[in-house]
Amino acid sequence: MLRIGNASGFYGDRFAAFEEMLTGGPLDVLTGDYLAELTMLILARDRLRDPALGYAKTFLRQMRTGLRLAADRRVRIVVNAGGLNPRRLAEALRELAADQGLTVPVGHVTGDDLLPRAADLGRDGLLAANAYLGAFGIAECLRGGAEVVVTGRVTDAALVTGPAIAHYDWKPGDLDALAGAATAGHILECGAQATGGNYAFFREHDTVRPGFPIAELHADGSSVITKHPGTGGAVTVGTVTAQLLYETAGARYPGPDVTVRLDTVRLRQEGPDRVAVAPVRGEAPPPDLKVGLNRLGGWRNEVVFVLTGLDIEAKADLVRRQFATALAEPPADQRWTLARTDHADADTEESASALLRLTVRDPDERRVGRALGAAAVELALAGYPGFHLTAPPGPGTPYGVFESAYVPAGTVEHTAVLPDGSTVAVPPPAATAELRPLDPPPLPEPPPRGPTRRAPLGLVAGARSGDKGGDANLGVWARTEDGWRWLAHTLTVPVLRRLLPETADLPVERHLLPHLRAVNFTVTGLLGEGVGAQVRFDPQAKALGEWLRSRHLDIPEALL
């Protein structure tokens, strides 16, 4: 058995988690995921200011105590904190180890940085272009004696799959084993989201400070998800289901090493805080690698007007009309949203107030900066009664745009740099298969007819949502077989469009995952140009699922 833990789900996660995981119980490997789509843009801007940067500086600070703890406990560390500069982070770790009197073999993985090939990708003005590499480079570093492995952009699951490949000597053709490890990696990658964090039914568990997850991986790729004893949160079929659905789509979940058949995954509660994950089928990976592209899209700003008391709609209309004449050069993109947070006959001023938000974007910084702020402030004595803002307008800020491209895997120089400085070229998979959607599985038998009651969907179903570039992913699962039969027949695409009107004019796909009692939706274009562009109130669709759960449907009383 190989025990792999996680101590970071994003750049900015709990700083103390590395120490907690290293001291909380036995581990063989500790991983950390730092690279979201937005993070790559942040690191690219760091690198613009200083070419020696471009990595997750937080991880280096965590290793001031973590290196010695890991060495004393013989725990290997695998992280993607190298970001856009894994070589420099590896050097910094060696320097840190030397300062502490430690000898720590450090390896790193390169080849993901495709910015020098920007012209081949058909994009101008890129700040970063990174291929999503697989796990075999990590495995080569570990086989070469590395105690710490630093990567740039690899798939999140590769941080778990790589150590498993090295430990069990899996080959590229061991697709079921690779798929099982990739599934465990996907469950672990977002840290405490697998142990009760962001969980729909959070009131059922102690989630004040959830522990971080661990996968006990076996030679056949099966695993048990757990956590250190005595830590908060919970590991249940529900918490694991929620993370499995997070930011996935159809039954085929592609990666550079293997395509996971999510429709084969079965979960079983094996005991308190122990969920078995098996079996999992794997198929050959697609021939192309995904490439994440980040560029600056222009400048943005926002002003929030507070509207209090009576005539909220009329006050909002007045502001819009005043602004239409106030700006000599209006920004290219203006978006007004009115949040009716006000209550009638309210006993506090705040609860009597609504928020009118103006968000502007333009390629020219001047059109979203001082002129916008001046136009807002000049209305102070000439606008609606009770005029005030949540904060003084600031200068415009740059925003980023995320896009995806694809390149043949054989054109990417995936390389493992071993602790002694030697390199190992990682070949692309010999066998690949074009990614094609599966035929939808048959629907379960519909539930028997009976009395219904109008109630929130969230009383009988959980949900978790997130972003993939400009698209939103929304997974919904039932807690019982009867609930699944009702959910599968009820929560169709037309019903989703009605419940979430923002999706009404957008392409929506629905995927059924019967073993997980789940339906998974992809809403194309809901997030515009991605989280960096900040075009939506919830730019990463993190709360889209909770909005859906709050919507009312006619639900069978037998389920309630």
Side-chain angles (χ1 to χ4, degrees), residues 452-456 498-499 552-555 560:
T452 64
R453 180 170 15 122
R454 196 78 174 166
R498 176 171 59 81
L499 295 176
H552 288 221
L553 287 166
D554 293 324
I555 300 174
L560 296 169

Side-chain angles (χ1 to χ4, degrees), residues 245-265:
L245 295 174
Y246 183 63
E247 295 181 351
T248 60
R252 284 192 165 113
Y253 185 51
D257 303 312
V258 64
T259 293
V260 178
R261 285 287 299 271
L262 289 176
D263 58 334
T264 68
V265 179

Side-chain angles (χ1 to χ4, degrees), residues 197-253:
N198 293 347
Y199 184 50
F201 304 104
F202 68 97
R203 292 191 299 174
E204 298 176 356
H205 306 289
D206 170 18
T207 57
V208 173
R209 191 178 175 87
F212 277 66
I214 297 167
E216 297 175 354
L217 264 168
H218 300 280
D220 62 355
S222 63
S223 65
V224 172
I225 308 301
T226 184
K227 61 187 183 69
H228 281 323
T231 56
V235 180
T236 69
V237 167
T239 66
V240 174
T241 296
Q243 179 55 27
L244 267 177
L245 295 174
Y246 183 63
E247 295 181 351
T248 60
R252 284 192 165 113
Y253 185 51

Side-chain angles (χ1 to χ4, degrees), residues 501-526:
E502 288 184 42
T503 70
D505 298 322
L506 298 173
V508 178
E509 292 184 8
R510 184 178 96 140
H511 308 279
L512 296 179
L513 297 169
H515 292 326
L516 299 178
R517 300 179 184 142
V519 292
N520 213 2
F521 295 93
T522 300
V523 184
T524 301
L526 181 68

